Amino acid sequence: MSEEKIRTEQQNRAFHKYCELLAKALTDAGHEDMRTLIKVPIAPTKELVKYNMVHPVMKAMFPDKKSTADLSTVEMINLYEQMNQFTSDRLGVSVEWPHFNEGR
């Protein structure tokens, strides 16, 4: 069995865009204080979503991975699907995975 590939640059860009879009969607949905999400008194930002929401889920799903940069293409999508399910079920916020044209 071959080893899965590390996430692509396109997935990396999509992941960071997803964190940005999720932060905006959370704010738009009335979650203007991150304390309601992670018990910290600050508004959602791309970085806070990434480090305080996504990374703990990633570490629970893939304990051997230290960074999202270490995820395979399949793991990256699995992480997104888990995050989107969580934010949809618990917070009423769902963000579609961003798609970028390969040439950009």
Side-chain angles (χ1 to χ4, degrees), residues 7 14-23 25-26 31 34 37-38 44-62 68 71 74-98:
R7 70 180 183 182
F15 169 69
H16 286 99
K17 185 66 174 180
Y18 162 73
C19 288
E20 178 182 342
L21 293 170
L22 180 55
L26 289 166
H31 301 284
M34 287 293 285
L37 305 173
I38 59 166
T45 65
K46 176 174 92 173
E47 291 78 17
L48 290 173
V49 164
K50 181 177 177 181
Y51 294 110
N52 294 301
M53 293 178 74
V54 176
H55 275 212
V57 173
M58 177 198 71
K59 288 177 184 176
M61 291 176 70
F62 310 107
T68 56
L71 297 177
V74 171
E75 290 168 335
M76 190 77 239
I77 295 304
N78 289 340
L79 175 60
Y80 157 73
E81 290 172 347
Q82 184 67 39
M83 283 297 306
N84 198 50
Q85 186 69 48
F86 165 75
T87 60
S88 178
D89 290 350
R90 296 247 179 115
L91 306 170
V93 174
S94 178
V95 175
E96 186 175 323
W97 182 255

